[in-house]
Amino acid sequence: MSAPSRMGPSVSMDCAVDLETRHLFPTYAKTPLRVVGGDGCRLYDDGGRVYLDMLGGIAVNALGHAHPRIVAALREAAAEERILLHSSNLYHHPYQGPLAARLATHIGLSRVFFCNSGSEAVEAALKLARARARRVKHLRDFETPEIVALHGSFHGRTAFALSCTGQKSYRAPFAPLVPGVKFVAPDDPEGLVRAVGQRTAAVILEPVQGEGGVRPIAPDFVRAARALCDNAGALLIADEVQCGLGRTGAWSACRQAGAAPDLVTLAKPLAAGLPLGALLGRDELAQNLGPGSHGSTFGGGPLPCRLALAFLDAVEQEGLLAAAETRGRRLMTGLRALAKDGGPIEEVRGRGLMIGVVLRGKASEMTDALLERGIVAGTAGERVLRLLPPFVITDGEIDRFLDVFASVLAATGRAGGAP
Ligand SMILES: *Cc1c(COP(=O)(O)O)cnc(C)c1O
């Protein structure tokens, strides 16, 4: 097939897939699902088949697809004759300030830096922590301000964020990475005590680990990290790119665990599908990211900020924090009822609508079996089925998922192995 001279929707899906195979770096092992549209918790493929979306674009589509408020915000913007898609961060525009103020209220931290992704938000947090430690701890040039991170964590793919990601297979090909990172097991509070010291600039943790297997960190551990940071004059960074902004039933999963972080990173659901990341921090930390110290060309552009304001409207006015909590409980209870001694389910864990089902077999075989039956779900590692459905999922949709999942489990039992 020759490459068409004009790209766009006029290209057949077969052709689009073929072009991907030939021209994209093969970074993703893609599922052969061709998505062309969605509404609510439903996705549509190019043949018109409907799927129940239990993955929400990896926690991005918290409002599902084509949410009326998001569609209205897009329409309103697109209808403006003098629509401003970019103004650069050298100038003011009408949407960054209001968005920053509302995020500040919800997260309880008053300063915001906008960027485009989770990795960039983490990168900004780590840079801030290092610059601050260098300054307030009077470190000499050859002394490294240290970061303490957790085994099993995921903080992103850029160099500093990757250096703090507690999964060797992600880091190994790119060594040497940023020095001065120590890893501690999330179930080893004594290890944490040993790791945090006077050279520590920050402890970074996901209150609920996502990519590493949907693993909630014990609130005691999070609070211990807070206390150790206070003693060592270090910052507590909560990476809430996946678990924040309502996913666990709270604006901040770290606060929900009973600890007030110094820095919080946000991204995935923030602009309802457009790229937008944010670092939030205490007011006193403002001087550590002074003029010229850090920046982003696209970060906090007018359109992503408008959509983020609409996302916050929806979460606030449609009671979606409570919804994530109660719908999460319904899903979790239903899943736990399917876990039997010696059955295919080893454990069900998570918080709110962030749920991992640890299987005895391969999670990818489960997602394949679910997809055949019209359900999109994800994996986190070899054996964890990952569920991150939109907050707008209905009770009926949860029950339908549970029915289909039960039938796949029953088939697994009969076959004595893979579904
Ligand atoms: C997804 C994720 C990131 C990275 O976000 P990108 O937008 O892919 O750069 C960082 N931290 C956590 C906890 C994440 O889940």
Side-chain angles (χ1 to χ4, degrees), residues 371-384:
L371 192 66
E372 265 176 42
R373 292 161 176 85
I375 289 178
V376 172
T379 62
E382 281 273 291
R383 291 197 298 121
V384 182

Side-chain angles (χ1 to χ4, degrees), residues 117-120 122 154-157 206 211 239 241-242 267-268:
S117 66
S119 301
E120 283 175 75
V122 168
F154 180 85
H155 297 295
R157 310 279 192 172
E206 299 157 88
E211 308 294 315
D239 181 354
V241 167
Q242 190 161 153
K268 287 186 167 100

Side-chain angles (χ1 to χ4, degrees), residues 288-303:
N288 298 296
L289 284 187
S293 64
H294 192 56
S296 167
T297 296
F298 292 110
L303 190 57

Side-chain angles (χ1 to χ4, degrees), residues 6-289:
R6 220 185 89 244
M7 301 295 163
S10 58
V11 174
S12 79
M13 198 72 194
D14 281 341
C15 184
V17 171
D18 177 65
L19 290 171
E20 278 191 12
T21 314
R22 284 189 293 140
H23 293 293
L24 296 187
F25 281 103
T27 40
Y28 309 103
K30 290 199 182 181
T31 303
L33 171 64
R34 299 158 168 206
V35 200
V36 295
D39 55 21
C41 260
R42 290 165 301 276
L43 282 170
Y44 300 86
D45 74 8
D46 60 337
R49 189 169 176 206
V50 192
Y51 299 80
L52 177 60
D53 185 4
M54 295 298 291
L55 186 61
I58 319 183
V60 169
N61 300 106
L63 300 183
H65 305 275
H67 188 283
R69 286 178 198 268
I70 299 303
V71 173
L74 278 170
R75 290 227 161 91
E76 189 186 282
E80 286 171 10
E81 203 159 329
R82 293 172 171 168
I83 182 173
L84 187 69
L85 284 178
H86 180 79
S87 60
S88 97
N89 279 309
L90 298 174
Y91 312 110
H92 304 280
H93 71 66
Y95 306 103
Q96 252 189 40
L99 177 59
R102 279 172 70 184
L103 287 174
T105 307
H106 289 313
I107 306 295
L109 294 168
S110 61
R111 292 283 170 176
V112 185
F113 171 79
F114 286 113
C115 50
N116 310 288
S117 66
S119 301
E120 283 175 75
V122 168
E123 208 73 18
L126 294 168
K127 283 178 73 176
L128 185 157
R130 257 205 181 172
R132 171 189 167 274
R134 232 176 226 303
R135 201 171 50 76
V136 305
K137 295 183 177 235
H138 308 292
L139 296 182
R140 285 167 288 179
D141 287 351
F142 60 86
E143 290 176 310
T144 305
E146 292 171 352
I147 307 291
V148 176
L150 300 189
H151 286 304
S153 62
F154 180 85
H155 297 295
R157 310 279 192 172
T158 54
F160 209 164
L162 180 62
S163 305
C164 295
T165 288
Q167 303 182 63
K168 246 194 204 127
S169 60
Y170 286 47
R171 295 194 312 266
F174 307 105
L177 287 166
V178 179
V181 183
K182 288 181 177 171
F183 291 101
V184 171
D187 58 357
D188 179 15
E190 279 137 47
L192 186 66
V193 173
R194 284 193 299 276
V196 179
Q198 284 314 310
R199 294 249 189 107
T200 308
V203 173
I204 183 166
L205 56 83
E206 299 157 88
V208 182
Q209 290 187 339
E211 308 294 315
V214 194
R215 206 175 274 112
I217 305 297
D220 279 349
F221 188 95
V222 179
R223 289 193 292 265
R226 172 69 279 173
L228 287 167
C229 284
D230 287 340
N231 285 339
L235 301 179
L236 178 62
I237 305 171
D239 181 354
E240 305 212 13
V241 167
Q242 190 161 153
C243 66
L245 291 171
R247 175 65 50 192
T248 65
W251 288 109
S252 161
C254 191
R255 285 185 173 274
Q256 189 181 34
D262 301 294
L263 296 169
V264 170
T265 55
L266 301 172
K268 287 186 167 100
L270 181 53
L274 285 193
L276 182 64
L279 168 68
L280 279 87
R282 285 193 291 114
D283 197 46
E284 310 86 271
L285 296 173
Q287 57 183 308
N288 298 296
L289 284 187

